[in-house]
Amino acid sequence: MSEPKPPDLNDQLLAGTLPADPFVGVVMSEDVPRIWSVRDLLAESMRFCLEQTRRSYCTLGHHAIDRATGGALAGEATFLGADSSWGKSSYAVMVADDNSRRGKRVLVVSAEDSKLTFANRLMRRRARVPAKPMRDKHLSSDELARVIDAHAKSELAPVFIDARGKPVEWLAPRIKTAINEHGIELLVCDYVGAFNKSKHLNDQGQRGTTQYIARTLVDIVKTCSPTGIAALILSQLTLDEKSPVPGKYSLRDSKDLVHMAENVLIGFIAPDNLTQEAGNRAVASKGDRCIRIVKAKEGEISKLPLVLPWNDTVACFETDLDPEQLRLDSLGAERYP
């Protein structure tokens, strides 16, 4: 004969034996999240405001972007959407290189380019050698000397993972391990549409796949450590022929990806001369590689495009950082952008 079922809370209520606090003596699981009081939250904000040290940030490659967004901060994801001809991977190389030169630990995870492709882009940028002769192996003796010198002066910091053909479920724990082992401060993912997911997962269409991959990459950024790390995640655009200048909702699967990110940048090539309304002054010429800041969670969006300097010979973006910031970096100081 089975034992009688112990009275539940409803039985105790009907019998008049329900204690004043039904949870007296109940042991709560350690997995139950802590509920923070208003005082707790404001105390944390107050400590943040009173701290004399500035928050360390990673540059996004241009002083105007850093000033508007606050730069790439720990625990925050910046999405850059651009068409395939704009130069997403070259932008990723610029951001990785600029931060590495500032002493930041950067990890580039590429699901599109091979190690050699990334290496050649980085070498062109550091050695200042032209793209076409490098591709065809027709570099001059002076250019080859610059290549050898760039290698000799290079740092030993880990920087690149070839993620081609690897599902994000396999990559995620390994990327987290690399981040923690090497003290990575900035993760660069190139690009969302090139990453794979496990075949056994139910297919929810291209939008569902993109959303799943993007969420997995963002979760790495936010959960790899108590404070997380900064991230630049590249994506494609779905262009509209009726709108020559793409906006926030040009980002592929934008309603999902935009909501995940703290900052969203849109890269595009100016289709015609773009002018500033006041005075009709030109701010970008046809063919310029431009960026618009269309989301900045704690910063400013931009109505006007920002032109990024591009070097056709070396086939790379040029750094345009604040001279004062560069001076402070040389002194080992940090400040807000």
Side-chain angles (χ1 to χ4, degrees):
M1 184 174 182
S2 61
E3 295 183 1
K5 183 180 177 182
D8 58 20
L9 294 179
N10 190 53
D11 295 332
Q12 295 179 57
L13 176 64
L14 293 175
T17 58
L18 186 68
D21 182 355
F23 296 103
V24 169
V26 176
V27 178
M28 302 296 289
S29 168
E30 292 182 357
D31 293 333
V32 175
R34 175 176 176 179
I35 301 177
W36 301 92
S37 70
V38 173
R39 179 174 287 268
D40 290 331
L41 297 178
L42 295 185
E44 184 166 354
S45 178
M46 179 178 66
R47 284 192 296 271
F48 172 84
C49 294
L50 293 176
E51 284 177 350
Q52 294 300 309
T53 56
R54 300 293 190 179
R55 294 173 76 184
S56 177
Y57 74 97
C58 293
T59 180
L60 289 170
H62 195 289
H63 65 88
I65 301 176
D66 291 341
R67 286 183 182 277
T69 62
L73 294 168
E76 295 188 357
T78 297
F79 275 78
L80 166 70
D83 198 16
S84 57
S85 60
W86 183 80
K88 293 189 298 295
S89 297
S90 295
Y91 183 84
V93 171
M94 176 185 70
V95 169
D97 191 26
D98 287 345
N99 282 289
S100 293
R101 289 172 181 266
R102 296 175 64 203
K104 302 292 184 181
R105 290 273 181 144
V106 184
L107 179 62
V108 178
V109 180
S110 177
E112 181 184 34
D113 291 334
S114 67
K115 179 179 68 173
L116 179 60
T117 301
F118 179 86
N120 284 344
R121 285 194 176 110
L122 183 60
M123 178 60 81
R124 288 200 305 268
R125 195 167 196 277
R126 291 200 173 187
R128 315 306 295 173
V129 295
K132 188 176 182 299
M134 183 183 195
R135 180 198 67 194
D136 298 337
K137 296 188 177 182
H138 288 160
L139 292 175
S140 67
S141 57
D142 179 63
E143 290 162 347
L144 286 173
R146 294 204 298 272
V147 166
I148 295 170
D149 184 61
H151 170 261
K153 294 178 179 177
S154 60
E155 58 273 33
L156 291 173
V159 72
F160 185 80
I161 290 178
D162 185 343
R164 294 175 300 163
K166 299 290 194 300
V168 289
E169 299 86 1
W170 183 90
L171 283 166
R174 291 162 175 81
I175 293 173
K176 283 186 177 183
T177 298
I179 288 170
N180 290 315
E181 285 185 354
H182 300 290
I184 300 299
E185 297 170 85
L186 174 67
L187 175 67
V188 180
C189 298
D190 185 16
Y191 65 97
V192 171
F195 284 88
N196 296 320
K197 69 174 185 178
S198 295
K199 294 180 180 179
H200 70 272
L201 294 175
N202 293 329
D203 189 6
Q204 299 177 347
Q206 183 58 42
R207 177 171 176 172
T209 298
T210 302
Q211 181 181 10
Y212 172 80
I213 290 171
R215 172 51 62 193
T216 302
L217 296 176
V218 170
D219 284 347
I220 293 172
V221 172
K222 296 184 179 295
T223 64
C224 63
S225 69
T227 57
I229 64 166
L232 172 66
I233 302 175
L234 309 185
S235 180
Q236 290 180 313
L237 295 181
T238 300
L239 299 177
D240 182 359
E241 295 180 358
K242 298 180 181 179
S243 178
V245 178
K248 177 166 59 177
Y249 294 106
S250 300
L251 192 66
R252 189 158 295 177
D253 302 311
S254 59
K255 290 184 179 180
D256 301 317
L257 272 60
V258 167
H259 295 162
M260 297 179 195
E262 280 70 30
N263 303 309
V264 178
L265 312 176
I266 299 295
F268 66 98
I269 295 177
D272 206 341
N273 290 351
L274 302 176
T275 59
Q276 190 174 15
E277 292 181 6
N280 204 33
R281 181 173 62 84
V283 294
S285 302
K286 185 175 182 179
D288 283 342
R289 284 171 166 80
C290 302
I291 270 188
R292 288 185 62 211
I293 304 167
V294 296
K295 180 180 179 182
K297 193 170 183 178
E298 297 187 8
E300 303 171 353
I301 63 172
S302 60
K303 295 181 180 179
L304 295 174
L306 175 69
V307 178
L308 294 186
W310 174 262
N311 187 316
D312 273 323
T313 302
V314 182
C316 70
F317 287 105
E318 298 286 17
T319 301
D320 193 354
L321 299 182
D322 185 349
E324 176 63 11
Q325 179 61 57
L326 294 175
R327 185 186 71 82
L328 290 172
D329 286 344
S330 68
L331 299 174
E334 284 284 357
R335 70 172 179 87
Y336 278 117

Coordinates of all heavy atoms in Angstrom, one line a residue, residues 7 31 52 112 122 127 130 138-139 144 214 225 280 288 290 306-307 320:
P7 N 0.5 16.7 2.7 CA -0.4 17.8 2.4 C 0.3 18.9 1.7 O 1.4 19.3 2.1 CB -1.0 18.3 3.7 CG 0.1 17.8 4.7 CD 0.6 16.5 4.2
D31 N 20.9 28.4 -7.4 CA 20.7 29.0 -8.8 C 19.7 30.1 -8.8 O 19.5 30.7 -9.9 CB 20.3 27.8 -9.7 CG 21.4 26.8 -9.9 OD1 22.6 27.2 -9.7 OD2 21.1 25.6 -10.2
Q52 N 38.0 57.5 -10.2 CA 38.9 58.4 -10.8 C 39.5 57.8 -12.1 O 39.8 58.5 -13.1 CB 40.1 58.8 -9.9 CG 39.6 59.6 -8.7 CD 38.9 60.9 -9.1 OE1 39.4 61.7 -9.9 NE2 37.7 61.1 -8.5
E112 N 35.2 33.5 -43.0 CA 35.2 33.7 -44.5 C 36.6 33.6 -45.0 O 36.9 33.0 -46.0 CB 34.7 35.1 -44.8 CG 34.7 35.5 -46.3 CD 34.2 36.9 -46.6 OE1 34.5 37.8 -45.7 OE2 33.6 37.1 -47.6
L122 N 47.0 42.2 -43.4 CA 47.8 42.8 -42.3 C 49.2 43.3 -42.7 O 49.6 44.3 -42.4 CB 47.8 41.9 -41.1 CG 48.5 42.4 -39.8 CD1 47.8 43.6 -39.3 CD2 48.5 41.3 -38.8
A127 N 53.5 46.9 -43.7 CA 54.7 47.1 -44.6 C 54.5 48.2 -45.6 O 55.4 48.6 -46.3 CB 55.1 45.8 -45.2
P130 N 52.1 47.6 -52.1 CA 50.9 47.6 -52.9 C 50.3 46.2 -53.1 O 51.0 45.2 -53.1 CB 51.5 48.1 -54.3 CG 52.9 47.8 -54.2 CD 53.3 47.9 -52.8
H138 N 55.4 40.3 -57.3 CA 56.3 41.1 -58.1 C 56.8 42.3 -57.3 O 57.0 43.4 -57.8 CB 55.6 41.6 -59.4 CG 55.4 40.6 -60.4 ND1 54.5 40.7 -61.4 CD2 56.1 39.4 -60.6 CE1 54.6 39.6 -62.2 NE2 55.5 38.8 -61.7
L139 N 57.0 42.1 -56.0 CA 57.4 43.2 -55.1 C 58.9 43.5 -55.4 O 59.7 42.7 -55.7 CB 57.3 42.8 -53.6 CG 55.8 42.6 -53.1 CD1 55.9 42.1 -51.7 CD2 55.0 43.9 -53.2
L144 N 60.2 44.3 -50.5 CA 60.5 43.0 -49.8 C 61.2 43.3 -48.4 O 61.0 42.6 -47.4 CB 61.3 42.1 -50.6 CG 60.6 41.4 -51.8 CD1 61.5 40.7 -52.7 CD2 59.5 40.4 -51.2
A214 N 24.1 35.0 -34.7 CA 24.4 36.3 -34.1 C 24.3 36.2 -32.6 O 25.1 36.7 -31.8 CB 23.6 37.3 -34.7
S225 N 33.3 36.4 -19.3 CA 33.9 36.9 -18.0 C 32.8 37.7 -17.3 O 31.8 38.0 -17.9 CB 35.1 37.7 -18.3 OG 34.8 38.9 -18.9
N280 N 24.8 73.7 -48.1 CA 25.0 72.7 -49.2 C 26.4 72.3 -49.4 O 26.9 72.2 -50.5 CB 24.4 73.4 -50.5 CG 24.0 72.3 -51.5 OD1 23.5 71.2 -51.1 ND2 24.2 72.6 -52.8
D288 N 33.3 57.5 -52.3 CA 33.9 57.5 -51.0 C 33.3 56.3 -50.2 O 32.1 56.0 -50.3 CB 33.6 58.8 -50.2 CG 34.5 59.9 -50.7 OD1 35.5 59.7 -51.3 OD2 34.1 61.1 -50.4
C290 N 32.0 55.2 -46.8 CA 31.4 56.0 -45.7 C 30.8 55.1 -44.7 O 30.6 53.9 -44.9 CB 30.2 56.9 -46.3 SG 30.7 58.0 -47.6
L306 N 30.1 59.6 -42.4 CA 31.5 59.9 -42.1 C 32.4 59.1 -43.1 O 32.2 58.0 -43.3 CB 31.9 59.3 -40.7 CG 33.3 59.4 -40.2 CD1 33.7 60.8 -39.9 CD2 33.5 58.6 -38.9
V307 N 33.3 59.9 -43.8 CA 34.1 59.3 -44.8 C 35.3 58.7 -44.1 O 36.0 59.3 -43.4 CB 34.6 60.4 -45.8 CG1 35.5 59.8 -46.8 CG2 33.4 61.0 -46.5
D320 N 42.4 56.9 -38.6 CA 42.1 58.4 -38.4 C 41.7 58.5 -36.9 O 40.6 58.7 -36.6 CB 41.0 58.8 -39.3 CG 40.9 60.4 -39.4 OD1 41.6 61.0 -38.6 OD2 40.1 60.9 -40.2

